[in-house]
Amino acid sequence: MNVVAKPVPIFTALSFGLAWLFALPLWFTGGLTNPFFTVFALAMMFTPAIAALIVVFFVEKHPDARSRRAALGLGSVRPVGRFLRYLALALVIPPALILAALVVGALVGVYPADFVNFSGFEAMLDSQLEALGQAPLPIPIGLLVAAQFLNVAIGALINTIPALGEELGWRGWLLPKLLPLGIVPVILISGVMWGLWHAPLILLGYNYPGAPGWLALTAMVGMTIVVGGVFSWLRIRSASVWPAALAHGSFNAAAGFSLIFIMVGESFDPLQASILGWTGWLVPLVLVIVLLATGQFRPASPQPVVTRNESAPVAGSE
């Protein structure tokens, strides 16, 4: 625990302090309506990575590039088959969880869904085209909905770089540091930290507009705990931060699904519905519990080191 005692508080202070510093201009220049909001939000996403890099270089003082990469989860991706498998899961699982959240919300009655005619999405597109002085697109709405899944895949790849700004800190560096505490405490602690780190934006009304700040931040923490548990599983099983970063990018790319499947003329409370609300946490929570119960959070077996006089072993199970 002595290893954790010094670097973790320094990382926490840096990541939280820099997040507030980067977001502070929004508090004095229009908040979410600031025309450069996206720029400030993207800059904030890199603060956990900056904090992790400072700790690795100047607090832990790793002696070489290889040990620094390993400390950040950027080491070897071998065996390649395992790495690619978890990359594929990282691309697919977050959109699936977001869709499942909408289905659960619809079943509970807090999300007014239209999974057949996509009336809300069609009305939104028509409104946007009308504002541009254009006629509605002569394309079946179902085809346009299907195209959104391709957009999510493309968006996931693009979003991976800013997502790495967060994941390099939370899952890349911090998660292995906390692992001696046990996997459940790791999921809870890192999830709470990840959620509270969003405070500079959440308290401005981001994600939960109109909700009291304390309630919005509590809801954000609930979401980051369960979703962070899934990202943690990808990080641990792949022995790399990249699947967690891709999952984060895929998650952000699919966030707009709640607008695609909503009933025309309806709205929903993000505290109740979508992946942001309590009904959206149920499926990822069940997934994390199943993964825990089946031992899927055990670290992946390290890749054997082959010396010059040895032959490479036959590939086996993880």
Side-chain angles (χ1 to χ4, degrees), residues 112-190:
D114 184 355
F115 294 122
V116 178
N117 298 312
F118 317 110
S119 56
F121 182 51
E122 185 173 25
M124 182 181 67
L125 291 178
D126 290 346
S127 176
Q128 292 173 347
L129 291 171
E130 183 180 353
L132 296 173
Q134 299 179 14
L137 292 175
I139 302 175
I141 188 62
L143 188 59
L144 292 175
V145 170
Q148 301 311 304
F149 289 88
L150 177 60
N151 289 340
V152 166
I154 297 172
L157 298 177
I158 296 173
N159 290 340
T160 294
I161 297 304
L164 183 65
E166 291 190 44
E167 293 304 318
L168 206 62
W170 305 127
R171 256 66 62 175
W173 182 84
L174 179 64
L175 185 146
K177 284 294 176 185
L178 297 179
L179 272 179
L181 301 176
I183 189 58
V184 172
V186 165
I187 293 173
L188 293 175
I189 294 172
S190 62

Side-chain angles (χ1 to χ4, degrees), residues 2 10 24 27 37 74 88 91-92 108 115 117 123 132 147 155 175 179 192 206 223 241 282 296 311 314:
N2 291 334
I10 293 175
L24 196 59
W27 283 73
F37 171 81
L74 295 172
L91 186 63
V92 172
V108 174
F115 294 122
N117 298 312
L132 296 173
L175 185 146
L179 272 179
V192 169
Y206 187 69
M223 189 273 287
V241 72
L282 299 178
Q296 290 302 307
S311 299
V314 178

Side-chain angles (χ1 to χ4, degrees), residues 93-106 110-111 194 207-208 216 218-231 247-248 250-259 268-288:
I93 289 177
L97 293 178
I98 289 175
L99 284 173
L102 301 181
V103 172
V104 173
V110 296
Y111 177 73
W194 184 28
N207 280 346
Y208 303 95
T218 300
M220 189 67 185
V221 168
M223 189 273 287
T224 53
I225 288 174
V226 295
V227 173
V230 178
F231 291 0
H248 196 147
S250 181
F251 183 86
N252 289 349
F257 277 171
S258 59
L259 301 178
F268 67 92
D269 181 0
L271 290 170
Q272 305 290 331
S274 82
I275 196 70
L276 296 171
W278 68 268
T279 58
W281 308 342
L282 299 178
V283 173
L285 176 60
V286 170
L287 175 59
V288 170

